[in-house]
Amino acid sequence: MTKPLSELQCAPRQTALDDASTVILLAQVPGWTIEDGMLGRHFAFHDYYQTIAFVNALAFVTHAQDHHPELTITYNTCAVRYQTHSVGGLSENDFICAAKADALYAGAAGRA
């Protein structure tokens, strides 16, 4: 049995995913979309404190994975976008980190 994406670890030297692999992995991270070649999702919170708590937790997790997102933060939202720049597209690492962000959000207090 294959582990869920959120339980996998990012690997160095990834290659860009083909379209078929991207579709399969995208189905495993509901709520995420691909726009302008980046995997993204908006997370909503009740207030700024909860938003920043999520951002800090996500920063800790993604730093441990050595795979960092592009973040846009407002008072009660955080937009998270991933792309593996070294491969010029999306890699499995992007989907692993998206699943880890979802797991953080599922456990976050103050979700909107």
Side-chain angles (χ1 to χ4, degrees), residues 43-85:
F43 295 93
F45 300 91
H46 288 297
D47 58 31
Y48 185 73
Y49 174 80
Q50 295 299 329
T51 304
I52 295 303
F54 173 78
V55 168
N56 286 333
L58 183 61
F60 180 82
V61 168
T62 58
H63 182 70
Q65 295 298 312
D66 195 26
H67 196 71
H68 307 95
E70 180 179 291
L71 302 174
T72 303
I73 304 160
T74 66
Y75 174 79
N76 61 352
T77 64
C78 177
V80 180
R81 294 173 21 131
Y82 285 100
Q83 181 186 52
T84 305
H85 300 288

Side-chain angles (χ1 to χ4, degrees), residues 9 12 14 19 22 33-34 43 45 62 68 74 77 92 94 96 108:
Q9 302 299 311
Q14 290 277 306
D19 290 342
T22 299
T33 60
I34 298 173
F43 295 93
F45 300 91
T62 58
H68 307 95
T74 66
T77 64
E92 186 177 57
D94 299 310
I96 290 169

